[in-house]
Amino acid sequence: RASLLLCGAWTAVWIAGGLLCCHRDAYVRRLWRSQTFNAISVLAGGRLLWNIKDWPNDLIADFTWEHQFFFAMAVGHWLVAILEDFRSRSVLGIGLGGKRVFRQAGRDPSAHLLRAYVSHHALTAATYVALLLLQSCGGSGAVGLLFE
């Protein structure tokens, strides 16, 4: 329950951060917020992996309040990323409309990319929710943060 509340708090933080960004363009604010998350994630993932004492057992068994904090941050980020992608879906496929693969399939590249991004973001958020509910496999989540 505390993990889900923390996810909600992080979602609110990411939304507020995006709104407070000094740029008027929603897509630029999305990029700014995303890059902020990426920088924090790399540092957090590195810290979590650095703190592992018993390799490789702690990759599965280790789960601390820091894991909970940063994994909830990731859930909030990915949920907000879904909202942002829906808001800026018209710009997702800019420059791809002339590509033969889209013309032949009769598909709108923005709609295709929106489906792909939403699928990725939802699966990633669900993975971090699962780790929060399991309260284990902290190393896997830490590697995911480092991957950002």
Side-chain angles (χ1 to χ4, degrees), residues 1-113:
R1 181 170 165 91
S3 294
L4 296 179
L5 290 174
L6 193 54
C7 291
W10 268 111
T11 302
V13 166
W14 288 125
I15 289 172
L19 294 174
L20 294 174
C21 177
C22 58
H23 204 279
R24 289 187 330 199
D25 183 79
Y27 192 72
V28 173
R29 286 194 310 266
R30 173 193 181 278
L31 294 176
W32 172 85
R33 192 200 55 74
S34 226
Q35 290 302 311
T36 302
F37 168 74
N38 293 344
I40 294 169
S41 290
V42 169
L43 295 173
R47 176 180 170 77
L48 293 173
L49 291 173
W50 185 263
N51 288 337
I52 290 178
K53 304 290 185 248
D54 182 21
W55 284 87
N57 295 330
D58 280 352
L59 288 173
I60 300 294
D62 196 31
F63 196 92
T64 66
W65 69 269
E66 288 178 306
H67 290 87
Q68 183 172 344
F69 183 82
F70 291 119
F71 294 176
M73 176 190 76
V75 171
H77 161 74
W78 291 113
L79 293 177
V80 172
I82 291 170
L83 296 174
E84 290 170 338
D85 283 343
F86 273 104
R87 286 188 60 201
S88 59
R89 66 178 162 250
S90 63
V91 300
L92 294 177
I94 288 178
L96 295 177
K99 301 293 183 196
R100 188 173 69 180
V101 67
F102 290 110
R103 280 195 323 265
Q104 287 177 341
R107 293 193 175 160
D108 172 25
S110 291
H112 177 72
L113 287 173

